[in-house]
Structures are given as C-alpha cells and as structure tokens.
Amino acid sequence: MNQASRLLSTYTADVSGVCSALYELGGLTVMHDASGCNSTYNTHDEPRWYDRPSMVYISALKEIDAIFGGDDKLIRDIVETARQLQPRFIAIAGSPIPMLIGTDFSAVAGVIEQQTGIPTLGLATNGMHDYLSGISMALCALARRFCHTPVATVGSHQPSVNILGATPLDFSITGNIEALCQAFQSNGYEINSCWAMNSDLDQLANASAAQINVVVSSSGLALAQWLKAQYGTPYFVGIPWGKQGAEAYFHALKQTLTSGQDGCFYTGIASQSSGKQVLIIGEAVNASSVKAALLLQKGWGNIQVACPFVENTSLLDAQDIALQDEKQLRQLMEQADVVIADPLYRRFRKNDKAQIFVDWPHEAYSGRIYRQQIPVLVCEHFDLWQKGWLKVK
Amino acid sequence: MDTIKIAIYGKGGIGKSTTVANLAVAFAEQGLKVMQIGCDPKADSTIYLHQGQPIPSVLDLIRNKGNDFALNDMVTEGYNGVLCVEAGGPTPGQGCAGRGIIAALDKLAEKGAYEQYKPQVILYDVLGDVVCGGFAMPMRDGHADWIFIVTSGENMAIHAAANIATAVQNFQSRGYAKLGGLIVNRRNVAREMEKVEELAEDIHSRIVGVLPHSPLIQEAEEQKATLMEAFPKSDMADCYRQLAGQILAVCREE
C-alpha cells in the first residue's frame, strides 16, 4: 500500500499533456476516451479553454465501441470533422480503454491521413503516465512530422533560441512564458520558436534555424535530443529564475552557445549541508532552477528538490530525489524547515508552526484552484515573490 | 427442478460446439427445455440447430439498436425446441471479445431471458481457453454451476485442458463453477485414453464420457444439421445421449 496516494492528489496524465502541447497550433486533437472521463482536461488542465478556441474533442467511446474496437467509427467521425474544420494537422491520443483493447493509433492515423490528406499523428498515450510524457510525445511527433532542414537566410546579428517544453501545465498563463521570452531578448537572443506557447506551427517547423535549444521542462528534453541528432543544435537545460540566477544562467548559456556542447544551468551549483533545510517539490527543471536561484543568493545552502515524476528524473541532480511514495515525501517534509510546493502539499505540513510553507501552485497538480497565486519567477520577478515569504525565513 | 447450468470449455477446434449442440438435442429429447448460448465472436455455436442459417448475435443487436430490441430478437428457437443464443463479438483483431461476452451475458440477464424462457438446462459454449476475465464470465456466480472440458489425447488439447482446470481451481474461493469432469472427443492418437486418464488424475477430476471419432458428424454438417437430427438412430447419437445422462448425473450429485 506504500504506493497508494491516500492524502495527496495526482498530477494530470499524458493525454492532457498532449492536448496542452498542441492547443495553439491549429490542429484537431481527439482524445479517444469515454465522454466525461476527460472533463478534467477542460475544467482543470486547460486555462486557455474559455478564452481561446481550439479544436479539442473526445471520441465519446462507449462500451460497445470498446468491444468491437470501434476503429471504423473513430476514423469516420474524425474524417468527417476534419473535412468540415480543415485543421493544419490531426492528432489522436489514447486513454486506458484503447490501451486495453490494443488500438493501433499509428495505423488509425495512417488511414485518416490517407482519407483526408491532412498530416495525422497517432499518439499512444494511455492515461497512466504523467503529463510530461504526453507533452514530450506530442512535441517529438510534431518535430518529426513538420520540422524541415534550415533554409539559407541572411545571417542575423543575434543568436536565436527555441524554447522547448513550455505549456500552461508547468508555467500557467500568468506571464511566465512572456517574461521568459523578454528575458532572452533583453540578453541578446531572438526567439525562433517556443514549443508550444505563443508560437504557430510554421515557427515550430522552422526550429532548425535556431542556434541553441533551451529546455525549460523535462518534457522538452527528448525534443532537444532529437533536434541535436537531426540538426546538430546544442541544448541548454534550465530557466533563468531570479536576478542572480538569470545572470549565471545567461553566462552559462553563452558558454554552451560558444562551445556547442550541451549544458545545464543548475548542475554544479551545489547544495550545502548547513543552514535551514529547504525542500522544493516540483517538476525537475523548474524546481531545480528555483533551487539554483536560491543557492546563488547568500544565506541559502541546504536545498533539496523532490520530483514527483519517477519517469522524468534524468534532469535531476544526483543529490535530489525522485519521489516514490507518500511515505517518503512525509519523511522529507518532516525534516524540512522550509517547503516550497503546491498548496495541496500543505496536507503533509509538519505540525510545527516554525516550518515555513511557501505556496508555489502548479497547474498540472492543483489545476485552476490557485491559478491567481501562481508567481512569475523570471529574473527579478523571483526576488519580488521571495520578498513575500523571505521575512519569515 | 433447479436449472442445470453447464459451461463447456476446451482447446479451439477440439469439437466443443459440435458436442454442445448434440448434447442440447439429447437433453431436449428427454423433455428438458434447453438454452444453448454460444460465447464465441464467430457466433456459430448453434448454427446447425437452425439449418445453418446465422442468427442475430446479442452484440450485433446492441451495436445496431442500442437497447431498442426485444428478448425474442436475441433468442431463436432451433431444432427440437432448443433455444439458441449467440453472444457474438468484434471482427478478428479488434476490440475486446472477452468484454463482449460479459456485455452479452449481462444483456441477456437484463432482458429477463432466464425468467421468461425458464430453461431447465443452460449450455454455455465458450471459445477456447480462459485467456481473460471475459472468458471466465460463464463460470462466474449466476452463470454456470458446472464446467466440463472437452479434450482429446493430443498434447495441445491436454495442455489447454490443464490450463482451464487451473483457472477453475483458482476461482474456487470466489464460489465460481465447479469442474464436473472431462469429455474425451477421440482423435484416435496413440495412448489417447491413457493420457487423458493421467490428466484427470493430475487435475483431481474424472472422465465423464467418451465420444468416438465418427464420420457421421461431418456428414451431418454437410446437411447443415447436428448428428442428433441427421442420424438420430446411429450409434454416435446414442453416445451423445449417454453423455447427456452422465453429465446430468454429475450435476445432480449435489
């Protein structure tokens, strides 16, 4: 029973990751699932749902469709819808039922593409993996399908970057991605594309034109590796959170750009064993960048990241932890003087008023509940956010 | 008398449907009201009880009409009054046949098939091995009380029978159907009876009947009929009658 979540919630699943990644790109995205099962997607996981139209649908799988496979009906419905809506592409993402009945998404996508002439991606999600896997799968599928070799252009004076792994599930819509792009521009970089917020499909397709790829969540790593293999573009992992963090970040980014060797902002910014114990719970790149931003300030030394995604831990520092279960988390939280995490983790807060709990809401975890409190952390914004809780340090 | 509910399992191609359809007629000859339920997506278990004409399967009815159909759309009266039902299922390679059996048997119960027709013997003819939960459905509480396994002396048939017996044994704590015994459908392979007797000992069961190999079965199929209908006075027909008696005896033991 150790692996059961008795008090904590779960992060949103891979199928929501797919929808989030593809939301702004003009495609028709179909979740192959029972109607109702995915209402969390538009009610909790997609903050753009009410303000910005997108062609996201559910196949409304019924028991009889599961028994008979229902591929013909799925194909017919999607083809008919696509002919009416004329999307740039079609994506079909799976859920637990298609997984159990062995739906072949790649083959179904092939038939749909044959009938419509519209590029179609079959994404074999199953609702049992975390959202980062879904984002990663969708971004890589897009890249394989749409990215083209660089077209010779007049050289720009400024290097350009692709931002990889940006979705509201990790960054919300409270201004982080806009501030991030602004920070790059202020530091002499052009934004070639952002995968996948505030960029269109044509910009993404031109990703090979960038001089460097920046991985801002673990969902962007596989894409960065694919772009490296395909076009030789180096990648750099991390986010410029905090003023001092941003200075170090852009310095290290420049080194990666010059050397052509992949780099990581937070690797090598080591934690100390003395001082207050700080625990940061979150996605590996995001939480590790918060950790680096704090370590670069005076007075912070003993910081550990706890990442709740055991499938996405390759970007964690060796001293940080991939959480296995609630019991492990409870023990970590009991030891911590400061916890920086989504407010839903307050349930495990030590019964000790001396412990500081810093609310850092995460859309992929608590959805819209605390959206208004999601801070912008880029450059100086981080320091402003910190002032709010620093006085109680 | 309580309804006798029997599920017949066995390796694919071993002769389950032929055996079940002939047993159904043999039971009917005794004046019993029999319902035969084919639990196979091919929907051909009862075909020789109605002159080789296919009948609508439960799942086809659900797919085409939702819930807008009547009980008698699912149940067709065949030779000698045997009530024929076919669960049906997806086309090969798609969907979930096991889930289909569950849905079909649930629909049959929901429409009141057992209360309306009041069959005294229900025979479930189940596809192949117990490969998933759906294929265990006929042995669940509320369906069959007894399992009989058709086997020959061929090694693959014996392995399948042992596998099915293991499944039956594993489900004992749930109050599922009990293993009634083995039916030997002879293929005249070497040491045939000796091998099946060894199997019976291994699975702590017994042989309840032996069906000799008979060319009349194929002749009957050519006539699109069961052997019991086409050759009712043959020795083979008597073998089926004898087997029906032995099965009834086992089921009435408790």
Side-chain angles (χ1 to χ4, degrees):
Chain A
M1 287 297 286
N2 275 353
Q3 290 180 330
S5 283
R6 289 180 296 172
L7 289 175
L8 295 176
S9 181
T10 53
Y11 285 80
T12 192
D14 50 10
V15 66
S16 284
V18 166
C19 296
S20 185
L22 303 180
Y23 194 85
E24 299 180 15
L25 303 174
L28 167 70
T29 305
V30 180
M31 293 180 266
H32 191 28
D33 201 358
S35 183
C37 285
N38 289 92
S39 60
T40 47
Y41 166 69
N42 54 23
T43 53
H44 294 282
D45 298 339
E46 186 44 79
R48 297 163 292 190
W49 185 260
Y50 297 101
D51 303 317
R52 183 171 184 164
S54 183
M55 294 175 274
V56 185
Y57 292 85
I58 293 172
S59 63
L61 189 61
K62 292 187 171 61
E63 184 184 8
I64 198 72
D65 300 322
I67 291 167
F68 281 98
D71 288 359
D72 293 346
K73 180 171 173 281
L74 176 70
I75 292 167
R76 197 172 56 241
D77 288 352
I78 293 176
V79 167
E80 192 182 318
T81 309
R83 282 183 179 146
Q84 287 174 30
L85 299 176
Q86 289 298 312
R88 292 285 308 270
F89 63 92
I90 299 166
I92 321 160
S95 62
I97 299 168
M99 179 196 72
L100 282 170
I101 63 174
T103 302
D104 184 345
F105 283 97
S106 156
V108 167
V111 174
I112 292 170
E113 181 160 340
Q114 215 169 29
Q115 293 186 19
T116 59
I118 299 170
T120 304
L121 315 172
L123 303 167
T125 51
N126 61 18
M128 297 188 188
H129 298 283
D130 59 57
Y131 69 100
L132 296 159
S133 313
I135 298 170
S136 176
M137 191 186 290
L139 297 184
C140 287
L142 275 178
R144 283 193 295 269
R145 193 58 204 259
F146 292 102
C147 282
H148 47 70
T149 46
V151 180
T153 54
V154 180
S156 165
H157 296 299
Q158 291 186 316
S160 65
V161 301
N162 297 313
I163 294 171
L164 311 182
T167 69
L169 291 172
D170 280 318
F171 297 92
S172 194
I173 50 167
T174 53
N176 268 308
I177 293 304
E178 291 75 8
L180 185 66
C181 292
Q182 181 63 47
F184 274 99
Q185 286 159 347
S186 305
N187 282 274
Y189 294 88
E190 280 181 5
I191 305 298
N192 184 64
S193 69
C194 178
W195 296 62
M197 290 174 77
N198 304 335
S199 283
D200 62 27
L201 188 59
D202 295 325
Q203 287 172 291
L204 302 194
N206 196 35
S208 61
Q211 277 75 52
I212 190 161
N213 292 314
V214 171
V215 176
V216 295
S217 87
S218 44
S219 67
L221 179 63
L223 173 60
Q225 290 167 336
W226 185 86
L227 290 167
K228 167 106 180 173
Q230 207 70 15
Y231 308 112
T233 321
Y235 63 83
F236 185 74
V237 178
I239 317 167
W241 290 157
K243 186 169 183 285
Q244 285 155 293
E247 283 167 14
Y249 180 95
F250 284 106
H251 179 70
L253 178 66
K254 194 172 182 182
Q255 285 181 331
T256 292
L257 187 63
T258 310
S259 68
Q261 300 297 310
D262 304 329
C264 178
F265 162 48
Y266 49 83
T267 302
I269 305 175
S271 179
Q272 314 292 319
S273 55
S274 58
K276 283 184 183 293
Q277 287 193 40
V278 181
L279 181 69
I280 307 169
I281 304 169
E283 184 278 322
V285 178
N286 213 329
S288 299
S289 298
V290 170
K291 175 183 167 184
L294 287 173
L295 285 173
L296 290 165
Q297 298 174 353
K298 281 182 186 168
W300 296 94
N302 188 351
I303 307 175
Q304 193 166 42
V305 167
C307 175
F309 311 109
V310 287
E311 295 171 347
N312 288 282
T313 56
S314 63
L315 292 174
L316 278 180
D317 258 0
Q319 58 203 174
D320 294 326
I321 290 176
L323 283 173
Q324 299 294 326
D325 52 48
E326 277 191 359
K327 188 180 166 192
Q328 187 191 19
L329 177 65
R330 188 189 286 270
Q331 286 166 352
L332 286 169
M333 284 186 67
E334 276 174 6
Q335 292 159 11
D337 300 307
V338 180
V339 176
I340 302 175
D342 187 280
L344 290 183
Y345 284 104
R346 278 180 177 273
R347 292 169 188 178
F348 272 179
R349 190 181 181 186
K350 193 164 65 173
N351 193 19
D352 173 4
K353 287 183 180 170
Q355 185 182 63
I356 299 165
F357 192 101
V358 180
D359 287 337
W360 184 33
H362 190 172
E363 194 100 25
Y365 192 54
S366 53
R368 62 186 171 180
I369 303 173
Y370 308 106
R371 186 175 299 144
Q372 299 308 318
Q373 299 169 43
I374 295 177
V376 174
L377 300 183
V378 178
C379 302
E380 293 83 359
H381 296 285
F382 180 93
D383 308 80
L384 289 172
W385 174 61
Q386 199 182 0
K387 272 186 186 170
W389 49 271
L390 198 57
K391 58 186 179 204
V392 288
K393 192 181 96 176
Chain B
M1 119 182 179
D2 288 341
T3 306
I4 293 170
K5 293 179 277 188
I6 298 162
I8 307 286
Y9 283 83
K11 178 184 169 293
I14 198 63
K16 291 183 297 296
S17 298
T18 304
T19 304
V20 173
N22 282 293
L23 277 175
V25 178
F27 287 129
E29 281 182 354
Q30 295 185 33
L32 296 167
K33 194 164 203 176
V34 184
M35 177 178 277
Q36 180 174 332
I37 304 172
C39 301
D40 185 328
K42 293 196 300 296
D44 59 357
S45 168
T46 64
I47 195 159
Y48 295 127
L49 290 168
H50 33 82
Q51 295 83 46
Q53 293 301 311
I55 58 172
S57 75
V58 178
L59 291 175
D60 277 340
L61 287 164
I62 297 172
R63 180 159 65 166
N64 297 329
K65 301 187 174 187
N67 196 34
D68 191 19
F69 61 92
L71 178 59
N72 59 13
D73 291 327
M74 292 191 284
V75 183
T76 302
E77 194 170 310
Y79 178 71
N80 233 356
V82 175
L83 302 165
C84 303
V85 178
E86 295 286 357
T91 48
Q94 284 194 25
C96 180
R99 182 72 225 170
I101 292 174
I102 295 170
L105 294 184
D106 282 348
K107 183 59 73 177
L108 211 53
E110 182 192 314
K111 294 272 186 188
Y114 309 120
E115 295 81 2
Q116 285 286 112
Y117 288 100
K118 296 185 174 56
Q120 292 162 296
V121 178
I122 301 174
L123 294 164
Y124 298 92
D125 175 17
V126 191
L127 162 75
D129 213 334
V130 190
V131 289
C132 72
F135 294 96
M137 180 70 173
M139 63 173 83
R140 289 186 190 175
D141 190 26
H143 296 286
D145 296 317
W146 293 96
I147 304 287
F148 291 89
I149 305 172
V150 181
T151 186
S152 68
E154 294 162 300
N155 289 345
M156 298 309 281
I158 285 182
H159 290 156
N163 215 28
I164 293 159
T166 304
V168 175
Q169 184 60 38
N170 288 343
F171 286 132
Q172 283 310 295
S173 60
R174 299 188 186 184
Y176 284 15
K178 284 175 283 200
L179 184 58
L182 301 172
I183 297 166
V184 187
N185 194 24
R186 294 200 65 160
R187 296 289 168 91
N188 296 335
V189 296
R191 297 199 305 113
E192 185 155 52
M193 289 310 296
E194 188 186 329
K195 284 159 81 176
V196 181
E197 279 160 11
E198 272 174 28
L199 168 68
E201 199 178 322
D202 288 348
I203 62 174
H204 310 293
S205 189
R206 58 192 155 186
I207 295 170
V208 293
V210 180
L211 297 168
H213 182 72
S214 169
L216 289 181
I217 292 172
Q218 275 68 46
E219 283 186 42
E221 285 183 4
E222 283 298 308
Q223 297 175 34
K224 300 190 187 310
T226 60
L227 179 137
M228 293 296 289
E229 181 183 1
F231 305 104
K233 292 180 180 167
S234 63
D235 290 345
M236 192 63 198
D238 285 339
C239 286
Y240 283 121
R241 290 184 187 105
Q242 199 181 345
L243 177 62
Q246 286 160 324
I247 287 175
L248 281 182
V250 169
C251 297
R252 285 169 175 162
E253 270 175 12
E254 293 183 22

